[in-house]
Structure formats: C-alpha cells, structure tokens
C-alpha cells in the first residue's frame, strides 16, 4: 500500500492516488467525508474552515460501491480557489502585478526559507503553498480508506487530546466507542470537562494576544492481532514506521508509545509488561505500558501512541524575519491561520496511524481481494491459537 498527494493550499484541488487496496472492499465517499468533516472541527480554527467544506470525490478504482483492485484516485476541491485564480495561475503573470502576490519575507517556524534556498525560489509562495497543512486534507482522506479496510477485520481507531498549552486533561481508560462519542461532543476533543473549559479559555487568551498554542494528542487502535510489523529489519518495525508517519504531519515534533518518556524515570520492573496465559485469552500482557508494540511488532494489546504538536508558526503578532531581497529586518508576513489546531491534528494523526497499521496488516495477510485476505487472516489466527 502507498499513496501520493499533489496540490497547493490555494490551488484548484488536492489529489491523491492510492495503490494497493484490495478488490471487493466496500467503499463510498461517505465514510471518507465523515473524517474530512471531523478534521475541520475543533475550537481555535481560523476562517479557512468557514470557507471550505471538504468533500472527497472518488474518481477511479471504485465501481458500484466496491474497490476493483485498481489504483484509487480521489480529489478534494478547494472552494477558496475562486479568490486565488490569478495568484495561483498555471499561466505566467506579469512581474510586479498584484496577481503575483510574491512572498519575500520568510515566516519563522515554516518551510519558507529552507525551501526557497533548496529549490532556488525567489518567491516563497512556491514553498508555502505546498508545505501548508492544507495538504493533510487528502492524507485524512487516504486514512479514511485505511479505516474501512481495518474495520473489515474488527480493528477500531480513536483519539483524544491530552493537553493544550499547559492545560492537561485527565486521561481515562474508556471503551473506544464511548471515548469516540464523548470526544466528538467536545470542541477540544477531551473527556475531562474541567480541562475543556480551561483549554477554551487558554485558546481565547492566545488569540487575543496574537499568539498560538500547541499540545499533545493520543491515538488508540484496538483489535490488532499479534505480529504486525517485524523485528528482522530496522525499516519494518511498526513503531518506527508509525513514528515517521506521525512526525511527517506539519508541526508535529515528537512521538511516544505507551508510557513513553515516563519510562526513563522508572525502574525496569515498573516499565515492562508481564506475560500471562489462560485458555480464554491465550497469551496476553498484564498491563500495556509498551503501548501495544514490542520488538517492532504488535503484541495484541491496544496500540497507544501520543505525539506533540508545536504551536502553529504563523502569528498575528509576527516574529522578526529578514527580507530575502534587501536583507533588512522586518516582521514576518502573515497568512491566514489558526490559533490552535490541536483537536483537528488529532484527526490527522488518527489517519496516518491507521494507514501504517493497515499497510502492515496488508503486508502480513496480503492478497488481491478482501476474500483472500480474510482467508489468510483466519488461518493465521488459527495458527496463533494452536501455539
């Protein structure tokens, strides 16, 4: 399984080509659009979310409600494109005209300067347009396809916000369905109502100050069989692959599994999960401090992964920067932005984690059709049960 995305934040559309999805998977745009709608929610979002109403169109690889085994193509239209047709025109625009909207003042924390130097671009808009987190729209769409594949085998995905700024929500162990229900009703995707109020107040204050807030989000995946991923090569370890996918999300800067960095403070006896066995459950762990992955492979316990998102780099009270033409000090240019996108980023993280788990699932039980995969899967479960 793999996908490629294309498109700019103010271009006509975002596009993805998805390869490796088996045939006969029930699929329509509805469950994908449900995830896209979730991505646009969350307290602290900017005006762009009022303009766009993201919906995906499946334009290849699906017929009569089922995948055919061919590459899937999907597109998401940018409604804001109508206001940017000249600025983002494929055809040349006269130098110095208003339609050029050239950017020459790189924003601290963004890809602007590094990308401009790397790709020899004197107009940093050519970097900004692609490096924007708007690109995650189609990653969420691709994750929606992965969710449908996992759901065929009883694998469930959910997430929650753990902190925003210095406000921490009390983490509760809940059934995934209940966790999903409660967090979807929360504007900041938390279970802890007291923390919710404080987070909203903190976001309001940051907006008033022209500043931004980051936070920590958690994703949980239940129902994975033991043995997804592998210990035999570094690039096949599932936790490594998940970590890479998560930090590839714009503004994400760190990842942990299970108790994560807390393990550095504890003795080994308080870190590792004891192994148990009974006839009903077979082999299992007495706890899940490892977060469902040991030796690069799933243990059968829930995958629990958390990640930190830094505050969004675009500030309405901008930091200082340097004009790439004159080399003079200026305050950085401002593009429309959010005050806090942590609740939405949790949806994006769910999507990329779901994709990596689905990819590992396909590597383990791979076949060209859902029926073939199901037979491989059931045979493996029987094998594990006989151990």
């Amino acid at each position: 399984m793999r996908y490629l995305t294309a498109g700019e934040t103010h271009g006509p559309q975002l596009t993805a080509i998805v390869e490796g999805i088996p045939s006969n998977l029930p699929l329509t745009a509805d469950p994908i659009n449900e995830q896209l709608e979730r991505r646009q929610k969350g307290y602290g979002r900017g005006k762009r979310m009022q303009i766009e109403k993201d919906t995906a169109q499946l334009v290849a690889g699906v017929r009569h409600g089922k995948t055919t085994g061919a590459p899937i193509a999907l597109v998401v239209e940018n409604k804001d494109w109508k206001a940017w047709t000249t600025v983002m025109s494929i055809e040349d625009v006269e130098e110095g005209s208003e339609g050029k909207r050239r950017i020459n003042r790189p924003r601290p924390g963004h890809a602007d300067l590094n990308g401009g130097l790397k790709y020899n671009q004197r107009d940093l808009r050519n970097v900004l347009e692609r490096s924007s987190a708007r690109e995650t729209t189609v990653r969420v769409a691709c994750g929606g396809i992965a969710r449908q594949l996992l759901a065929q085998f009883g694998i469930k995905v959910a997430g929650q916000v753990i902190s925003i700024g210095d406000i921490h929500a009390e983490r509760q162990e809940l059934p995934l369905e209940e966790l999903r229900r409660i967090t979807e009703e929360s504007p900041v995707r938390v279970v802890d109502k007291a923390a919710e109020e404080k987070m909203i107040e903190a976001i309001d204050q940051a907006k008033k100050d022209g500043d931004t807030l980051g936070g920590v989000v958690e994703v949980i995946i239940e129902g994975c069989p033991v043995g997804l991923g592998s210990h035999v090569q570094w690039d096949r370890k599932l936790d490594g692959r998940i970590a890479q996918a998560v930090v590839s999300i714009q503004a994400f800067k760190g990842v942990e599994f299970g108790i994560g960095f807390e393990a550095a403070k504890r003795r080994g006896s308080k870190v590792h999960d004891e192994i148990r066995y009974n006839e009903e459950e077979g082999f299992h762990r007495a706890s899940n401090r490892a977060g469902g992955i040991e030796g690069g492979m799933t243990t059968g316990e829930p995958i629990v992964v958390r990640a930190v998102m830094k505050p969004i780099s675009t500030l309405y009270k901008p930091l200082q920067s340097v004009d790439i033409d004159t080399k003079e000090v200026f305050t950085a240019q401002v593009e429309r932005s959010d005050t806090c996108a942590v609740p939405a980023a949790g949806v994006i993280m769910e999507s990329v984690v779901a994709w990596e788990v689905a990819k590992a699932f396909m590597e383990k039980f791979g076949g060209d059709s859902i029926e073939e995969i199901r037979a491989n899967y059931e045979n493996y479960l029987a094998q594990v049960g006989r151990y």
Side-chain angles (χ1 to χ4, degrees):
M1 283 173 53
R2 64 174 179 166
Y3 64 84
L4 290 174
T5 72
E8 287 74 40
T9 185
H10 295 113
Q13 67 182 43
L14 299 165
T15 306
I17 304 292
V18 184
E19 190 176 54
I21 302 299
S23 68
N24 298 331
L25 171 69
L27 185 66
T28 67
D30 290 344
I32 297 172
N33 291 335
E34 180 184 336
Q35 299 307 320
L36 292 178
E37 184 180 3
R38 292 180 66 227
R39 177 191 169 277
Q40 293 193 277
K41 294 179 180 178
Y43 200 79
R45 302 305 304 275
K47 291 184 179 179
R48 180 74 187 263
M49 295 304 104
Q50 298 169 19
I51 298 170
E52 304 290 353
K53 181 166 177 55
D54 292 331
T55 55
Q57 298 177 57
L58 295 166
V59 296
V62 180
R63 183 168 181 262
H64 298 166
K66 289 186 178 181
T67 57
T68 65
I72 296 170
L74 62 86
V75 297
V76 177
E77 178 187 353
N78 284 331
K79 302 287 194 303
D80 206 18
W81 156 249
K82 296 174 184 176
W84 291 80
T85 52
T86 303
V87 178
M88 296 303 295
S89 171
I90 299 296
E91 304 301 325
D92 194 16
V93 174
E94 184 180 346
E95 196 67 38
S97 70
E98 176 61 23
K100 201 79 172 175
R101 292 281 293 274
R102 179 172 175 264
I103 290 180
N104 56 300
R105 299 177 188 175
R107 301 162 300 166
H110 282 278
D112 300 355
L113 181 59
N114 301 344
L117 293 172
K118 174 179 172 65
Y119 289 99
N120 193 27
Q121 296 290 331
R122 302 299 300 184
D123 182 353
L124 301 182
R125 180 167 297 284
N126 291 335
V127 177
L128 173 157
E129 287 288 333
R130 178 58 184 168
S131 64
S132 166
R134 177 73 183 150
E135 179 266 345
T136 61
T137 305
V138 279
R139 282 205 260 175
V140 169
C142 293
I145 297 173
R147 287 171 186 262
Q148 292 303 106
L149 176 59
L150 294 174
Q152 290 288 310
F153 300 93
I155 300 173
K156 301 175 182 178
V157 185
Q160 61 184 325
V161 170
I162 300 298
S163 67
I164 290 178
D166 61 358
I167 311 299
H168 292 261
E170 182 179 345
R171 186 180 182 278
Q172 299 182 31
E173 299 283 349
L174 295 172
L176 239 55
E177 292 297 336
E178 187 176 356
L179 178 66
R180 273 194 262 191
R181 179 184 60 78
I182 296 172
T183 54
E184 285 305 299
E185 293 173 356
S186 167
V188 287
R189 287 208 167 89
V190 296
V191 176
D192 185 345
K193 291 298 179 183
E196 178 183 288
E197 292 181 13
K198 293 177 182 177
M199 287 174 177
I200 290 172
E201 290 173 4
I203 293 169
D204 287 341
Q205 187 61 51
K207 184 175 183 178
K208 188 183 297 184
D209 296 340
D211 220 326
T212 56
L213 287 173
V216 175
V217 293
E218 177 180 88
V219 172
I220 303 164
I221 298 191
E222 286 186 352
C224 290
V226 64
L228 300 186
S230 178
H231 66 284
V232 303
Q233 288 288 359
W234 66 271
D235 60 345
R236 294 179 62 191
K237 293 175 182 285
L238 184 56
D239 46 358
R241 288 160 56 166
I242 289 173
Q244 191 278 331
V246 170
V247 296
S248 76
I249 303 169
Q250 289 84 339
F252 274 62
K253 303 301 281 187
V255 182
E256 66 177 11
F257 293 84
I259 61 170
F261 292 107
E262 175 66 23
K265 304 175 186 177
R266 301 186 185 185
R267 293 188 175 187
S269 58
K270 302 298 182 183
V271 170
H272 304 295
D273 302 308
E274 291 186 327
I275 298 172
R276 304 282 174 81
Y277 179 86
N278 60 47
E279 290 294 332
E280 184 179 345
E281 298 175 90
F283 291 104
H284 61 279
R285 304 302 191 276
S287 55
N288 191 27
R289 297 165 184 154
I293 300 178
E294 291 179 346
M297 298 167 286
T298 51
T299 63
E301 303 295 332
I303 296 173
V304 181
V305 53
R306 282 178 294 278
V308 58
M309 179 190 187
K310 70 177 182 177
I312 291 171
S313 304
T314 296
L315 309 179
Y316 283 100
K317 288 186 178 178
L319 299 174
Q320 284 193 338
S321 183
V322 176
D323 189 300
I324 64 171
D325 296 331
T326 67
K327 311 303 187 289
E328 293 178 3
V329 174
F330 286 93
T331 53
Q333 290 177 219
V334 176
E335 289 282 320
R336 181 174 49 210
S337 185
D338 304 327
T339 301
C340 178
V342 174
V347 178
I348 300 165
M349 183 174 160
E350 288 177 32
S351 301
V352 302
V353 174
W355 179 270
E356 292 303 320
V357 172
K359 185 176 179 180
F361 189 94
M362 283 294 293
E363 289 171 0
K364 174 65 181 165
F365 305 111
D368 297 313
S369 68
I370 281 290
E371 294 81 6
E372 183 181 359
I373 294 165
R374 193 176 305 282
N376 294 340
Y377 177 65
E378 291 174 354
N379 182 63
Y380 176 74
L381 293 184
Q383 172 194 309
V384 171
R386 291 192 299 267
Y387 194 88

